[in-house]
Amino acid sequence: MERTYAANVRGADLIKVCGFVENIRNKSKMAFIVLKDITGKVQITVEKGENQALDEAVNKITMDSVITVIGKAVQSEYVKLGGVEIYPTEIIIDSLAAPLPIDREARKGHERSSIDQRIDYRWIDLRTEANQLMFKAQTKMLAAMREFLLERSFMEIHTPKLIGAASESGADVFEVQYFDRKAYLAQSPQFYKQMAMASGFERIFEVGPVFRAEKSFTSKHTTEFTGFDLEFSFIDSYRDVMKMEEELLTYALTKVKEAYGDDIERVFGTKVIVPATPFPIMKLSELYDELEKEFGYKCPEEERGDLTTEAERLSFQLVQKKFGHEFLFVTDYDAEKRAFYHMRDENGVPQGYDLIWRGVEITTGAQREHRYDVLKAQAEEKGLAEDVKFYLEFFKYGCPPHGGFGLGVDRLTMLLLGLTIKDAMFLFRSPNRLTP
């Protein structure tokens, strides 16, 4: 018999449902089981004393056991779960669960287990409605982003994650033994995205793992995450890149809101807000001036060339007050704070930006320097010419003007739902966590 999902039991007759036991009330004459699958929940009602096999199964079942139920679906106005209950003719215990080692939610007499305890048993923690909704929303967001780009003639590529050079910040890469020599886990697909531009691909994107060997212990940092990167050719300026990003995000958030907006607000207490375009833009120096005027925040002079963590956080209050918006593009950083491959204008100002959402940076984007001699000089200026020699070769034989950006999928999910990065990842990685 073909399986029926919990969301589709209404209108069915003799059916088979499968899932985890979320709750069981085993009384002397009746037993009620709440069965949960990925689509929802359904009530199983057992009239005891009529079928010995059913009674024996009910008496064995524990919370989180996996069962298959075959029976008759009956509509009832007294049943809260979709107005349908199933009277079983057969209950098969596929997997009997031992007592759970964590409390996924706070309950009477028990506090919720800490996030670190829950990550130790992440596969159990992920069975909750909230966690499964999170990944449904993430799936919708990524599908919408792919859809948006495919409709605009982008191609999806998959670049190497084992690389032979430590790119621009060697201290932040993971070194691995590669046969008889050293290799590194890629911090980003940046160099290979640009190789694709030199290959004439014109418009590409990639979704894949990114590795950062940073000893950061914050609510937003992780040593491995999923990146959504894109690059495209024949742009006039970095403003073309900004426009592409704001349209991409607006499209994706619209799709998430349509599919799951009500559920996200109910479960997470967070509204999915579709932003208006264009997004507000401020130069870094203007942002610091406004933050000092509005909040009394004075950035140390030696740090004014980059965005401090505190300024990043305060920018959310500022952009809401000043523009009624959740997003802010910040431009005009100091060249010494930006990557060597960012194009600079005649005054030496990098032609790039950071995008801040809800007070957290989600993107560094830019027009790239595509002229070989200029790019080589900028690499030499930062002492990197030898380290990135293979990369510089991409630009010796013709390369169009281009730009792009990268987004952290896990950080987007975190901000969408108002979580920490530990909560928002399928499995979190940090300097002191490598399991499960």
Side-chain angles (χ1 to χ4, degrees):
M1 182 185 296
E2 189 173 341
R3 176 193 182 189
T4 300
Y5 283 99
N8 301 323
V9 295
R10 177 176 282 275
D13 188 15
L14 186 65
I15 59 171
K16 178 172 78 172
V17 292
C18 309
F20 288 88
V21 174
E22 186 180 77
N23 196 12
I24 180 167
R25 288 183 295 141
N26 191 1
K27 307 290 186 181
S28 59
K29 294 184 178 180
M30 301 283 289
F32 303 94
I33 300 168
V34 176
L35 181 144
K36 179 183 181 297
D37 65 23
I38 195 62
T39 70
K41 305 171 187 178
V42 63
Q43 178 174 301
I44 314 300
T45 302
V46 180
E47 295 178 335
K48 299 180 76 173
E50 296 186 358
N51 183 318
Q52 185 179 351
L54 289 181
D55 293 351
E56 289 175 356
V58 167
N59 290 333
K60 288 180 183 177
I61 289 172
T62 56
M63 294 283 287
D64 277 59
S65 292
V66 179
I67 63 173
T68 294
V69 177
I70 298 171
K72 186 176 179 64
V74 178
Q75 293 190 37
S76 171
E77 60 183 273
Y78 301 108
V79 177
K80 293 179 180 179
L81 291 178
V84 178
E85 57 188 335
I86 297 175
Y87 286 89
T89 56
E90 185 177 6
I91 297 177
I92 302 164
I93 301 175
D94 299 302
S95 177
L96 198 63
L100 299 186
I102 56 170
D103 286 302
R104 293 170 296 205
E105 304 290 348
R107 56 193 175 90
K108 190 174 181 179
H110 295 269
E111 292 184 358
R112 189 185 192 193
S113 299
S114 71
I115 180 60
D116 288 313
Q117 290 172 319
R118 285 184 281 122
I119 292 174
D120 287 340
Y121 296 93
R122 185 60 165 164
W123 64 96
I124 300 173
D125 189 42
L126 287 172
R127 295 173 190 171
T128 64
E129 179 188 10
N131 279 323
Q132 294 184 354
L133 173 60
M134 173 170 66
F135 286 102
K136 289 176 184 179
Q138 185 185 94
T139 298
K140 176 60 70 173
M141 180 169 59
L142 285 176
M145 291 163 72
R146 274 194 169 95
E147 181 178 76
F148 176 90
L149 295 176
L150 292 172
E151 287 176 353
R152 287 157 181 79
S153 302
F154 278 75
M155 291 191 294
E156 184 168 4
I157 65 170
H158 304 282
T159 62
K161 303 308 165 206
L162 283 168
I163 57 176
S167 69
E168 73 260 30
S169 51
D172 294 331
V173 295
F174 289 108
E175 182 181 300
V176 298
Q177 188 66 36
Y178 191 74
F179 300 104
D180 59 346
R181 56 197 183 278
K182 291 179 182 178
Y184 306 90
L185 297 180
Q187 295 165 291
S188 128
Q190 184 59 46
F191 291 172
Y192 296 109
K193 289 195 301 177
Q194 292 187 257
M195 189 186 97
M197 299 301 96
S199 304
F201 280 22
E202 295 200 11
R203 293 182 161 219
I204 64 92
F205 71 95
E206 175 174 14
V207 185
V210 176
F211 302 91
R212 299 283 168 88
E214 299 172 341
K215 289 186 178 179
S216 296
F217 298 91
T218 74
S219 62
K220 62 183 181 181
H221 283 95
T222 178
T223 54
E224 179 184 355
F225 61 89
T226 300
F228 192 107
D229 283 83
L230 65 85
E231 204 81 13
F232 60 112
S233 293
F234 300 107
I235 64 173
D236 294 322
S237 84
Y238 71 98
R239 302 235 167 199
D240 296 335
V241 182
M242 293 162 69
K243 186 173 187 293
M244 181 69 75
E245 181 165 17
E246 66 187 12
E247 290 178 354
L248 172 74
L249 288 170
T250 300
Y251 184 87
L253 288 171
T254 298
K255 295 294 186 182
V256 171
K257 185 178 179 68
E258 289 172 354
Y260 298 111
D262 291 342
D263 289 335
I264 287 171
E265 187 170 359
R266 173 178 59 83
V267 174
F268 293 98
T270 302
K271 288 187 176 182
V272 179
I273 297 174
V274 177
T277 54
F279 292 1
I281 305 170
M282 296 182 75
K283 292 181 179 180
L284 182 61
S285 59
E286 294 172 346
L287 175 60
Y288 279 130
D289 290 344
E290 287 288 328
L291 290 177
E292 185 172 359
K293 185 169 70 176
E294 292 289 340
F295 307 109
Y297 175 72
K298 188 168 178 61
C299 177
E301 197 61 38
E302 65 274 14
E303 296 184 45
R304 284 182 69 89
D306 203 358
L307 188 62
T308 65
T309 301
E310 181 63 10
E312 186 180 302
R313 185 184 66 80
L314 288 172
S315 70
F316 184 35
Q317 296 177 55
L318 180 68
V319 75
Q320 285 185 303
K321 182 176 180 180
K322 191 176 177 68
F323 303 105
H325 215 279
E326 293 195 333
F327 289 87
L328 176 66
F329 283 123
V330 182
T331 67
D332 291 56
Y333 287 78
D334 281 3
E336 66 178 42
K337 302 296 185 181
R338 300 280 96 171
F340 75 93
Y341 49 77
H342 286 201
M343 183 178 279
R344 304 172 190 172
D345 68 10
E346 62 277 7
N347 299 312
V349 178
Q351 300 300 282
Y353 64 89
D354 280 352
L355 179 59
I356 315 299
W357 183 28
R358 295 179 172 175
V360 177
E361 178 230 312
I362 59 170
T363 293
T364 295
Q367 178 167 5
R368 321 301 187 187
E369 181 52 72
H370 64 281
R371 297 164 295 184
Y372 174 75
D373 54 340
V374 178
L375 185 61
K376 187 171 183 289
Q378 291 181 184
E380 289 170 347
E381 174 190 300
K382 291 184 180 278
L384 295 168
E386 282 303 309
D387 290 339
V388 299
K389 195 171 181 180
F390 82 98
Y391 162 77
L392 294 173
E393 288 287 306
F394 301 159
F395 303 90
K396 286 179 71 171
Y397 308 101
C399 186
H402 62 278
F405 59 86
L407 290 158
V409 171
D410 309 284
R411 192 173 284 190
L412 280 178
T413 305
M414 174 188 85
L415 292 167
L416 174 70
L417 304 177
L419 304 172
T420 69
I421 198 68
K422 287 184 178 182
D423 289 293
M425 299 187 70
F426 183 78
L427 272 174
F428 173 71
R429 288 286 178 261
S430 74
N432 57 11
R433 180 173 285 279
L434 198 55
T435 57

